[in-house]
Amino acid sequence: MVECKSCGLSYEWKGSNIRRLPCQHYMCRACLLQYLALSLISPKYMSARCCDSPKGEIKEESFGNIVIDPRISTAWKKYELLKD
């Protein structure tokens, strides 16, 4: 069992409901989608980050197989441009 860093719920590691991020923390699908939505709505004030670690930034590959809608992929690319 692993625990989501954001919501604290426990998940079976073998399931598709949890992801291991580059910072080595785990985040569930629901929390990842919330981070994605908030980051796309306000990239200046809400960056997609798990923690303060240099590897804590949540990048597009962490959303793979969760978000497959091309419109969201396009919005993510715009987020990447706007966040800087």
Side-chain angles (χ1 to χ4, degrees), residues 11-12 19 23 27 31-32 50-51 53-54 57 62 64 69-70 74:
Y11 293 88
E12 288 290 332
R19 294 242 182 224
C23 60
M27 197 171 288
C31 290
L32 277 170
C50 170
C51 60
S53 163
E57 185 176 2
S62 296
D69 188 321
T74 300

Side-chain angles (χ1 to χ4, degrees), residues 36 39-40 43 57-61 63 67-84:
L36 173 65
S39 297
L40 292 176
E57 185 176 2
I58 302 171
K59 298 189 182 239
E60 187 175 8
E61 62 268 9
F63 298 109
V67 179
I68 56 174
D69 188 321
R71 295 172 295 178
I72 295 176
S73 294
T74 300
W76 182 262
K77 287 179 177 74
K78 288 180 184 176
Y79 160 77
E80 288 290 323
L81 292 171
L82 293 173
K83 73 177 183 177
D84 296 327

Side-chain angles (χ1 to χ4, degrees), residues 41-56:
I41 291 168
S42 184
K44 183 177 178 182
Y45 299 105
M46 178 59 184
S47 64
R49 293 195 67 79
C50 170
C51 60
D52 290 333
S53 163
K55 295 182 179 180

